[in-house]
């Protein structure tokens, strides 16, 4: 049965996966954008009709086509012409790019798994940037999806994933505890170790050092850009470290795929 499915997927043209996952990504991105904007406000994403945040008019199908509506309406409400939160099209575009990259990297169900990983990370990163918040429910969903893929035999092995989950959580938890002991203040948010553990459940333990180093390098680059732009940087300034971990984790998945790490 497994070989038959593999044969079926091999007959699909190589362009189908990036195109299909790119389109699906734009649709998923529309949901992620609504989640990122509404959830911190206590508004439901699953119930009620989409409406303009400025005038409250219910949005029709022509207003809700991912990316195309934002382009056609030039980023403004069709009724009141108020600006639409640019995070809508930015997240839709990011999710579409994630899907295309996954489809180009590997065909078949693994491509969908990689895209799913990227979409989860996108949602968590966007929430962390906007609110310094990594919701436990979203991190738990990411973790359970990683375990589920291990159970059905998607590399890395389930044992590598479980070791990665424990190692990721414990390592950042110990760093946070050590910082708190030495500096008498919080250095990491409580969601960061959980997210790193969930990433370990997807990538396995071998890729975790690379993810952590890359996340730190991205953080240093962000601080350097602030300095170059003329902003001051102080020791108490906050960085959304969970977002940095999420940004670093997706390239790590691509490297793992390419080299079988």
């Amino acid at each position: 049965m497994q070989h038959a499915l593999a044969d079926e997927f091999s007959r699909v043209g190589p362009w189908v996966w990036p195109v299909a996952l790119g389109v699906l990504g734009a649709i998923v991105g529309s949901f992620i954008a609504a989640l990122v904007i509404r959830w911190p406000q206590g508004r439901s994403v699953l119930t009620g009709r989409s409406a303009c945040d400025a005038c409250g008019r219910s949005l029709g199908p022509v207003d809700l086509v991912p990316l195309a509506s934002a382009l056609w309406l030039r980023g403004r409400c069709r009724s009141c012409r108020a600006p639409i939160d640019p995070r809508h099209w930015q997240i839709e575009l990011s999710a579409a790019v994630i899907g295309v990259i996954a489809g180009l990297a590997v065909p078949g169900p693994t491509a969908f798994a990689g895209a799913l990983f990227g979409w989860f990370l996108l949602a968590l990163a966007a929430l962390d940037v906007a609110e310094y918040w990594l919701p436990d429910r979203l991190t738990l969903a990411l973790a359970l999806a990683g375990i589920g893929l291990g159970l059905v035999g998607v590399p890395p092995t389930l044992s590598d994933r479980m070791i990665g989950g424990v190692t990721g959580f414990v390592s950042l938890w110990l760093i946070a505890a050590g910082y708190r002991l030495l500096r008498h203040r919080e250095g990491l948010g409580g969601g960061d170790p959980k997210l790193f553990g969930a990433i370990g459940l997807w990538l396995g333990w071998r890729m975790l050092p690379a993810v952590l180093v890359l996340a730190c390098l991205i953080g240093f680059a962000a601080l350097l850009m602030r300095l170059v732009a003329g902003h001051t940087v102080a020791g108490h300034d906050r960085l959304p470290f969970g977002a940095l971990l999420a940004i670093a984790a997706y390239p790590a998945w691509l490297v793992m795929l390419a080299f079988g790490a």
Side-chain angles (χ1 to χ4, degrees):
M1 180 68 175
Q2 197 170 19
H3 292 297
L5 286 173
D7 291 339
E8 288 297 323
F9 286 125
S10 67
R11 295 192 187 100
V12 176
W15 57 270
V16 171
W17 287 101
V19 170
L21 288 175
V23 172
L24 179 60
I27 297 170
V28 171
S30 181
F31 174 80
I32 293 174
L35 181 82
V36 169
I37 294 169
R38 294 186 190 180
W39 198 355
Q41 299 172 357
R43 298 161 57 197
S44 174
V45 184
L46 301 176
T47 60
R49 294 193 62 181
S50 297
C52 172
D53 293 326
C55 67
R57 180 185 68 86
S58 294
L59 302 181
V62 72
D63 304 296
L64 297 173
V65 181
L67 293 176
S69 291
L71 184 63
W72 179 61
L73 297 171
R74 298 186 179 182
R76 293 184 176 274
C77 173
R78 190 156 49 95
S79 296
C80 68
R81 306 306 298 165
I84 299 171
D85 193 321
R87 285 179 292 178
H88 282 286
W89 72 263
Q90 291 168 354
I91 292 175
E92 288 168 1
L93 179 60
S94 299
V97 170
I98 287 170
V100 170
I101 291 173
L104 291 172
V106 58
T110 304
F112 178 76
L116 184 65
F117 182 46
W119 295 332
F120 267 118
L121 294 174
L122 175 62
L124 286 159
L127 282 166
D128 200 29
V129 168
E131 306 289 337
Y132 291 99
W133 181 41
L134 297 169
D136 285 346
R137 280 183 284 177
L138 199 54
T139 304
L140 178 61
L142 175 65
L144 291 176
I147 294 173
L149 288 172
L151 288 172
V152 299
V154 176
T157 64
L158 181 60
S159 60
D160 279 357
R161 290 174 184 267
M162 299 305 293
I163 294 171
V166 173
T167 302
F169 174 79
V170 171
S171 61
L172 275 199
W173 185 90
L174 289 174
I175 291 172
Y179 185 92
R180 187 166 54 247
L181 183 64
L182 291 174
R183 301 296 299 273
H184 305 290
R185 66 182 185 187
E186 296 294 336
L188 285 175
D192 295 331
K194 299 173 188 175
L195 174 58
F196 200 38
I199 290 171
L201 289 170
W202 274 81
L203 301 180
W205 61 272
R206 292 178 177 85
M207 294 301 298
L208 290 182
V211 172
L212 188 57
V213 169
L214 182 56
C216 292
L217 290 175
I218 296 171
F220 286 136
L223 291 175
L224 183 60
M225 289 175 64
R226 284 180 59 87
L227 289 172
V228 170
H231 300 290
T232 59
V233 175
H236 60 269
D237 287 349
R238 299 175 68 187
L239 274 178
F241 192 63
L244 301 179
L245 290 172
I247 293 170
Y250 196 63
W253 174 77
L254 295 171
V255 171
M256 181 185 71
L257 192 69
F259 297 99

